[in-house]
Amino acid sequence: MQELPNIAGAATNPTVNNGGGTGASTIDLRGLGSQRTLILINGRRVVHTGGADGGADVNAIPASAVERIEVLTVGASSVYGSDAIAGVVNFIMRKDFEGMQASIDYGISSRSDGQRTGGSFTFGQAGEKGNVIAGVNYNQFDGILSGDRDYSKVATYLYAGSAFSAGGSSRNPRGFISLPATNPTAIALGCTDVTRIPGASGATASDYRCYAPTDGYNFQAVNLIQTPQERTNAFFLANYQITDDVNAFLEVYHNKTSANFALAPLPFDARTDAVTVSADNYYNPFGAEFGPDGTAFRTRFTSLGQRAAFNNTTTDQVVAGLEGFLGDTWKWDFAMNYGHQSLLTKTNGYVLYAGLADALGPSFQDTDGSIVCGTPDDPSTPTIDERNVIAGCTPVNIFNVEDPATIATLSKYNVNPYGSTLYVSKGFEANASGELFDMPAGAAQLAFGAQWRKEYQRSEVEFVTVANPDATCQISQEACASPVKGDFTASELYAELFLPLLKDVSFAKTLNVTLGTRYSDYDLFGNNTSSKLQVEWRPIDDLLLRGTVAEVFRAPSVTDLFAGPAGNAPLLQELCIGYGADPDLVLANDGTVISDGPLTPTYNHEQACGTPTGASHGPAGAPPLTPGTVYDPGTGIPLNGGIADTGLGQSTGVTSGAAYVGYDLKPEQGKSFDWGLVYDPSWLPGFSVSLDYWRLYLNDTITNISAQIVLNSCYANPASDLCRFINRFDNGEVNYIRQPAVNLGRLDVKGWDLALRYKLPDTAWGSWSFGFDGTYVAQWDNDTDTTTDADAVVHLAGHYDSSYGMFGRIRARAFANWNMGDWSASWRIRYIGAFDLGNADIRQGSSADGACSYTARPQFCGVEVPYGSTTYHSFSVTYAMPKINSTIELGVDNAFDKQPPIVYNNNVLNANTDVNTFDTIGRYFFGRYTVKF
């Protein structure tokens, strides 16, 4: 399904490690987000949570039970209600299967990894009164490390115009230590950022040298490009004829998925993790304080092993009801729909910072030679006992995390927290349809119904992960979360009227009009009415013209509303580097002022970079500074250079629901338009073509806003309401950025869909059929603040953007199928068109180059890098053995081993590429054996 050309954006799938790892796959039509694509089974809602992006997990649907899949790519809120904005995907289940069918399958990459094993068993029995179909599916996938592929084994950055692959994160096990400019070690080395020399103990200042970009830690190699998972589906479908006019039906679905993600060992940042490394710590060779009130200290706890989250997801759904007929033309049904999804997560590789804080505080060597936490006696007052020892605390030498004693001590503070989420949906619906009255072109038909639905969600987190208002907790900020509990109820009425206006007259073989409307009443948001008008006109037998105008609507989810603060590590390109610098201040290595003229810093973009965010403007007293004095940057933004470049591609975010930040969240509303034609020429049997123009606009879009959009919007528009979400340290570096669910503005999207089908007449060389589906994205614009023209409208058509995903202009797929006797074969082609990384329009706030700073390095802003197209070829061949009721299928995906484009780790979170769009595994072989009884 994710290969459909109508897909764009960033749908989750098992290749998404950082931001995925639950084993889920979601569908994102038009790139509007999977939460705006409604997933149905037999026309009824499925449990609509699932992947990290908020959509329903289609992997939970048993594949062997599916007969066909119908995709509607126009807004359908008038028919299905909330969420059906970009379209609807309806999985139609099998009804007429009899006997037994079993299959086993196996797959492996050309590099002998990513092994897949699976199988299914289906049973069907029909009788005079009804039928039963039941079955089970099993799939198991092995994980693949990023380090096992050339394109992903090293974190690669585009920085200052060059592709840089030798580095990685400054949170490296030998440390990134930022010293005050007046510190003796900084003066001696001529730099303020230092790291431990490889192999040195770190006990003295001589064990350190200046930090270089090549000292970065390659976190990439131990990430995953396919997350391991094990999945079991089971289903039971039954129908029973109670009377001639009444039928009872039952659908039961069960899915259990075990999957995990794996990340590099835990990074530690004393500032953002709010842990102070005391200047009086016994192992601190610099005599300087690091942390929230000091300077930066970063390391990585490689001795604790990887961070990993083990997710167990259980999804169950039951649909039961009655259906029947009234008279000759009317059909009715009544159904109960209950579903729940339970997610249990265990996370490994974290450290209890409450204990670590004491271990990094003051410590000293006691009289017995042991190193203890606390403070010793003051020798100047020998008659007073001032000794303060913290019982049960062992000091940590964080300056050498590879030391065996440090490893042993850190292990004492190792924690592996649990969390759980329960989502429940329950509802009832009653529907009826039939003929109303006769018209000259046929009978007018009416469908109407009523539905009631309640959705409930509860999340529980372990006490060590409960987030504070700044999303810090007792472990690393990225793992902090909050318990969530909430529900809402919706009551809805709908009606559709089909009117056949003309038939078999000149220039109107048929002319039909459909009118529809749906009234929705939510206990939390009030009511909404969505309507549609659809016209179908066939001027001649071979040509159908069609058009639909529909209102669309999406209500906020429980998570959108009630989620508490949780940690996040979003990509962020800092725009304020150099802000607050005194342009003519010249200092010696020891901090002595050489000269300072009359120029003073200019504080442009104050709302995004300055004091409203928590930063302060340098030391007391106004410049110029007196030559010969020693410049002390104090606690504010330093005059010598302004806000510093931390070298971090990721920042610290705090996600939450709207209620937590006092934001009044509203439903989304908009309109969908679709105009198209279908041509089935009588002069060319077997051929058909369809062409559709689509357009959609959506107001008050609901999203957990990205950190980059928050900063971009405030930088461009100081009056933006988003400015209040930026929080900086006093020296101007980002502390954290809030990312609540908000109504972000307006989306405008439009484009074209083209579909071709041709089935050749049967020949002596077999039967042939061909197909093509393609989508062209003409516009995909996001106006994040419709109240002002100060911010730029983000133009994404033809671009990849880390905040939104992939919006290449063209996507397509084609196939050729051949069949002759017991043999059949297929050739599938998937095409992903050219795209640009970054945007040359500086107002867009998107640059492919990580060195962008509007203040310090504007030449690297607005960098746009073009990429060519990518094409994948897949082949399969099937041989039927009717004598033993069996078939064998062999195939290869990505047959020519096409590698994904490198879009650089400063633009993506995973594997140097867009794992949501491109194939990460390479050439992959598979086989399947099926037998029927």
Side-chain angles (χ1 to χ4, degrees):
M1 288 299 299
Q2 290 190 342
E3 293 183 2
L4 288 171
N6 317 90
I7 297 292
T12 298
N13 58 59
T15 65
V16 179
N17 178 62
N18 195 347
T22 63
S25 291
T26 57
I27 300 174
D28 187 355
L29 290 173
R30 308 297 188 206
L32 294 174
S34 63
Q35 70 273 28
R36 299 185 183 95
T37 298
L38 182 62
I39 307 299
L40 307 174
I41 295 179
N42 289 338
R44 296 182 177 89
R45 288 175 177 261
V46 304
V47 180
H48 209 258
T49 53
D53 51 5
D57 177 15
V58 297
N59 285 343
I61 299 173
S64 66
V66 176
E67 177 184 285
R68 68 184 188 277
I69 304 172
E70 297 176 347
V71 181
L72 178 67
T73 54
V74 297
S77 293
S78 64
V79 180
Y80 297 108
S82 179
D83 307 333
I85 290 177
V88 178
V89 179
N90 189 12
F91 291 81
I92 308 298
M93 297 294 147
R94 305 167 77 169
K95 294 182 179 180
D96 56 357
F97 180 79
E98 286 193 70
M100 291 185 289
Q101 176 177 301
S103 68
I104 57 172
D105 61 81
Y106 177 81
I108 193 168
S109 80
S110 60
R111 294 165 179 80
S112 299
D113 58 11
Q115 179 175 284
R116 182 188 75 213
T117 55
S120 66
F121 178 82
T122 305
F123 167 84
Q125 181 68 48
E128 292 183 1
K129 288 288 190 176
N131 71 298
V132 171
I133 304 175
V136 62
N137 294 254
Y138 174 81
N139 288 277
Q140 187 269 332
F141 296 80
D142 288 348
I144 302 177
L145 287 172
S146 296
D148 292 335
R149 296 295 185 271
D150 288 340
Y151 71 86
S152 59
K153 64 184 180 182
V154 177
T156 303
Y157 298 84
L158 180 64
Y159 194 86
S162 299
F164 177 70
S165 302
S169 172
S170 62
R171 297 176 171 97
N172 75 90
R174 290 187 290 108
F176 174 95
I177 304 165
S178 186
L179 299 173
T182 55
N183 187 275
T185 301
I187 295 172
L189 293 175
C191 59
T192 56
D193 297 333
V194 302
T195 189
R196 181 167 51 86
I197 297 171
S201 69
T204 64
S206 62
D207 289 338
Y208 296 83
R209 59 167 171 78
C210 293
Y211 184 90
T214 53
D215 290 319
Y217 173 78
N218 181 23
F219 58 87
Q220 186 83 298
V222 293
N223 288 353
L224 295 167
I225 54 172
Q226 177 170 282
T227 56
Q229 62 176 284
E230 184 177 29
R231 183 170 63 247
T232 302
N233 300 113
F235 64 94
F236 178 84
L237 312 174
N239 288 275
Y240 182 75
Q241 196 77 30
I242 300 175
T243 70
D244 289 343
D245 293 327
V246 179
N247 181 66
F249 60 88
L250 175 67
E251 302 172 12
V252 180
Y253 306 99
H254 169 78
N255 174 77
K256 184 173 182 180
T257 300
S258 298
N260 70 273
F261 69 73
L263 300 174
L266 181 67
F268 174 77
D269 187 323
R271 301 207 75 184
T272 59
D273 289 323
V275 177
T276 297
V277 181
S278 172
D280 296 322
N281 184 277
Y282 177 81
Y283 298 106
N284 187 341
F286 303 108
E289 181 175 300
F290 305 99
D293 298 321
T295 55
F297 180 94
R298 304 178 198 134
T299 189
R300 188 172 296 265
F301 298 133
T302 50
S303 56
L304 296 179
Q306 283 184 267
R307 289 166 291 164
F310 297 89
N311 302 292
N312 286 287
T313 306
T314 303
T315 305
D316 291 286
Q317 186 146 6
V318 178
V319 178
L322 301 172
E323 59 187 0
F325 294 92
L326 287 174
D328 295 330
T329 65
W330 280 85
K331 182 178 180 180
W332 60 270
D333 68 80
F334 172 81
M336 182 248 350
N337 189 344
Y338 173 84
H340 72 254
Q341 184 180 83
S342 173
L343 171 63
L344 179 64
T345 300
K346 178 189 177 186
T347 309
N348 290 352
Y350 287 91
V351 170
L352 184 65
Y353 285 160
L356 191 63
D358 287 339
L360 295 177
S363 55
F364 65 98
Q365 188 172 32
D366 207 352
T367 54
D368 61 359
S370 62
I371 311 302
V372 296
C373 301
T375 54
D377 282 340
D378 183 350
S380 65
T381 56
T383 60
I384 302 176
D385 184 7
E386 298 167 316
R387 184 174 178 273
N388 176 29
V389 175
I390 302 175
C393 172
T394 303
V396 170
N397 179 11
I398 202 169
F399 295 86
N400 187 354
V401 297
E402 298 158 352
D403 181 82
T406 302
I407 294 172
T409 304
L410 282 175
S411 297
K412 291 171 51 180
Y413 301 112
N414 183 225
V415 292
N416 302 310
Y418 285 86
S420 66
T421 299
L422 173 67
Y423 176 90
V424 177
S425 175
K426 53 187 177 181
F428 301 92
E429 61 179 88
N431 308 284
S433 62
E435 296 181 1
L436 281 180
F437 51 82
D438 290 331
M439 300 179 66
Q445 299 176 46
L446 175 68
F448 65 95
Q451 297 178 357
W452 177 88
R453 186 176 80 257
K454 183 172 184 177
E455 297 186 21
Y456 166 82
Q457 182 171 313
R458 184 187 74 237
S459 297
E460 301 290 345
V461 298
E462 202 163 334
F463 74 96
V464 295
T465 66
V466 175
N468 300 312
D470 61 354
T472 60
C473 59
Q474 297 185 47
I475 62 175
S476 176
Q477 187 269 355
E478 66 178 55
C480 302
S482 296
V484 179
K485 183 179 180 180
D487 62 75
F488 66 81
T489 301
S491 302
E492 300 179 289
L493 299 170
Y494 80 93
E496 268 196 300
L497 179 62
F498 173 76
L499 299 172
L501 301 182
L502 296 173
K503 183 178 181 181
D504 294 328
V505 299
S506 298
F507 299 107
K509 292 296 181 179
T510 59
L511 177 61
N512 303 321
V513 172
T514 302
L515 303 172
T517 191
R518 188 181 193 94
Y519 173 81
S520 304
D521 182 37
Y522 284 78
D523 61 345
L524 297 181
F525 323 115
N527 57 66
N528 175 78
T529 301
S530 299
S531 302
K532 79 166 185 177
L533 168 64
Q534 180 178 319
V535 178
E536 295 175 310
W537 174 38
R538 192 178 291 274
I540 59 176
D541 286 334
D542 294 354
L543 179 64
L544 171 67
L545 303 176
R546 60 193 180 189
T548 302
V549 178
E551 295 175 314
V552 293
F553 159 79
R554 186 175 84 88
S557 68
V558 172
T559 303
D560 291 333
L561 290 165
F562 302 118
N568 190 22
L571 288 174
L572 184 71
Q573 195 171 77
E574 172 66 278
L575 307 181
C576 299
I577 297 170
Y579 170 89
D582 186 349
D584 62 345
L585 174 63
V586 181
L587 301 177
N589 286 342
D590 62 358
T592 302
V593 177
I594 297 176
S595 63
D596 187 20
L599 294 178
T600 59
T602 56
Y603 296 115
N604 297 323
H605 306 285
E606 177 81 350
Q607 298 297 316
C609 310
T611 53
T613 69
S616 59
H617 290 157
L625 302 176
T626 304
T629 61
V630 175
Y631 168 67
D632 181 2
T635 59
I637 298 172
L639 296 175
N640 59 325
I643 293 178
D645 182 358
T646 64
L648 299 176
Q650 288 178 270
S651 187
T652 301
V654 179
T655 62
S656 72
Y660 182 78
V661 297
Y663 189 93
D664 185 17
L665 200 62
K666 301 179 293 184
E668 304 173 336
Q669 299 190 51
K671 282 187 178 180
S672 168
F673 306 85
D674 187 89
W675 315 101
L677 60 86
V678 180
Y679 182 52
D680 299 292
S682 56
W683 53 269
L684 186 59
F687 178 79
S688 68
V689 57
S690 66
L691 179 66
D692 290 272
Y693 168 78
W694 48 269
R695 175 178 171 247
L696 184 144
Y697 72 80
L698 189 64
N699 292 313
D700 299 322
T701 53
I702 301 169
T703 184
N704 273 93
I705 189 168
S706 78
Q708 192 68 60
I709 291 176
V710 171
L711 183 57
N712 289 354
S713 298
C714 184
Y715 197 93
N717 175 22
S720 172
D721 185 52
L722 303 183
C723 291
R724 63 190 176 105
F725 299 143
I726 302 173
N727 295 268
R728 295 181 180 272
F729 291 112
D730 50 27
N731 68 351
E733 294 177 15
V734 172
N735 183 359
Y736 61 91
I737 294 180
R738 293 198 180 278
Q739 300 174 255
V742 297
N743 294 110
L744 192 57
R746 174 178 168 122
L747 292 176
D748 284 275
V749 300
K750 64 183 179 183
W752 297 83
D753 290 336
L754 174 65
L756 303 169
R757 295 291 184 273
Y758 185 41
K759 186 180 186 305
L760 287 172
D762 291 347
T763 70
W765 300 279
S767 300
W768 296 83
S769 61
F770 304 90
F772 172 87
D773 297 290
T775 293
Y776 176 80
V777 179
Q779 178 187 23
W780 209 104
D781 291 350
N782 186 19
D783 185 353
T784 58
D785 189 349
T786 56
T787 64
T788 178
D789 293 329
D791 69 319
V793 176
V794 180
H795 303 296
L796 289 171
H799 293 265
Y800 171 81
D801 186 280
S802 61
S803 297
Y804 299 90
M806 175 64 72
F807 295 88
R809 295 276 186 187
I810 299 174
R811 290 199 193 194
R813 65 174 182 173
F815 65 84
N817 294 332
W818 169 80
N819 177 272
M820 191 172 82
D822 295 332
W823 290 91
S824 60
S826 71
W827 173 19
R828 293 185 298 115
I829 301 172
R830 182 161 67 106
Y831 176 86
I832 302 165
F835 66 95
D836 294 323
L837 180 65
N839 200 302
D841 179 5
I842 292 181
R843 294 187 72 238
Q844 302 291 305
S846 173
S847 177
D849 198 308
C852 168
S853 165
Y854 292 147
T855 305
R857 293 186 294 270
Q859 70 272 29
F860 298 115
C861 298
V863 173
E864 186 173 305
V865 179
Y867 287 78
S869 61
T870 301
T871 304
Y872 298 107
H873 298 264
S874 299
F875 301 92
S876 66
V877 60
T878 302
Y879 177 63
M881 296 173 285
K883 291 184 178 180
I884 57 173
N885 299 318
S886 300
T887 58
I888 295 177
E889 180 184 5
L890 300 174
V892 56
D893 291 331
N894 192 359
F896 302 114
D897 202 29
K898 185 72 174 181
Q899 298 299 290
I902 293 178
V903 295
Y904 306 107
N905 222 74
N906 51 288
N907 297 295
V908 293
L909 282 174
N910 294 273
N912 296 319
T913 193
D914 175 16
V915 298
N916 304 86
T917 302
F918 298 103
D919 176 78
T920 61
I921 299 173
R923 184 183 297 113
Y924 197 86
F925 302 101
F926 66 88
R928 179 179 293 111
Y929 174 75
T930 302
V931 60
K932 298 180 180 179
F933 304 96

